[in-house]
Amino acid sequence: YLINADDSKVLEYLKVFTFLAKEEIEDIMKKHEEKPELRIAQKTLAFEVVKDIHSKEDAETAVKISESLFTGNIKDLTDNEIELAFKGIPTFNTNEDIILNVLVDNKIATSRREAREFLNNNAITLNGEIINDENYIIDNNRKYNIIRRGKKKYYMGIFE
């Protein structure tokens, strides 16, 4: 939420919601104005608020999780971080390891034909990696595997 703060309000938010010194805030805003696309002020605001409410470790974990989600690099997250990041998404248990069967058996695709279509169109990612081979074997070394269908549909598989 804080990373999406409007540029026109982020200075006020930094002053009100953080314990940063006036000089630090001015320095952050100067850097932000030079490269607003990096959202330096918003990221600092989010980090400082989480740090102050929870802890520095929680703030660092939140940064790692959000960066992994934005870059799609989910495989670098630990099982605990995956649990935090994907709380509330559809979850399924399976002992199946062939991607096509996982998609159909867990209602990610309505049929084998649709599953093949998703795979052929590069619409399926597994832990951030595009999968387009219907015979791909899912590595069961992880407790959780995140399947994304399209841009916004996420599923968490617990592999037994």
Side-chain angles (χ1 to χ4, degrees), residues 4 8 15 21 41 44-45 47 49 52 72-73 82 84 88 90 92 94 97 104 116 121 127 129 154 156:
N4 290 325
S8 65
K15 289 178 182 178
T44 303
L45 172 66
F47 183 86
V49 169
D52 293 340
N73 196 8
I82 287 175
L84 289 171
F92 62 88
T94 187
D97 61 354
V104 175
R116 282 188 192 95
N121 291 330
N127 299 324
E129 180 182 330
Y154 287 90
M156 181 165 43

Side-chain angles (χ1 to χ4, degrees), residues 66-116:
S66 62
E67 286 176 355
S68 293
L69 293 176
F70 283 113
T71 62
N73 196 8
I74 296 167
K75 60 185 158 222
D76 289 345
L77 296 176
T78 65
D79 286 340
N80 188 40
E81 291 166 341
I82 287 175
E83 284 180 22
L84 289 171
F86 293 98
K87 190 180 287 187
I89 68 166
T91 304
F92 62 88
N93 294 321
T94 187
N95 56 9
E96 179 63 63
D97 61 354
I98 298 173
I99 190 73
L100 184 71
N101 297 337
V102 169
L103 295 175
V104 175
D105 293 349
N106 297 290
K107 312 276 188 270
I108 298 170
T110 57
S111 66
R112 294 175 70 79
R113 181 201 56 75
E114 185 179 58
R116 282 188 192 95

Side-chain angles (χ1 to χ4, degrees), residues 1-5 7 10 14 18 20 28 32 35-51 59 62-63 66-67 70-71:
Y1 174 80
L2 296 170
I3 289 178
N4 290 325
D7 283 355
V10 74
L14 283 167
T18 71
L20 296 173
I28 290 164
H32 175 75
K35 294 189 176 183
E37 68 276 6
L38 297 179
R39 305 187 70 72
I40 294 167
Q42 288 90 340
K43 288 178 182 178
T44 303
L45 172 66
F47 183 86
E48 290 295 320
V49 169
V50 172
K51 180 186 81 169
V63 168
S66 62
E67 286 176 355
F70 283 113
T71 62

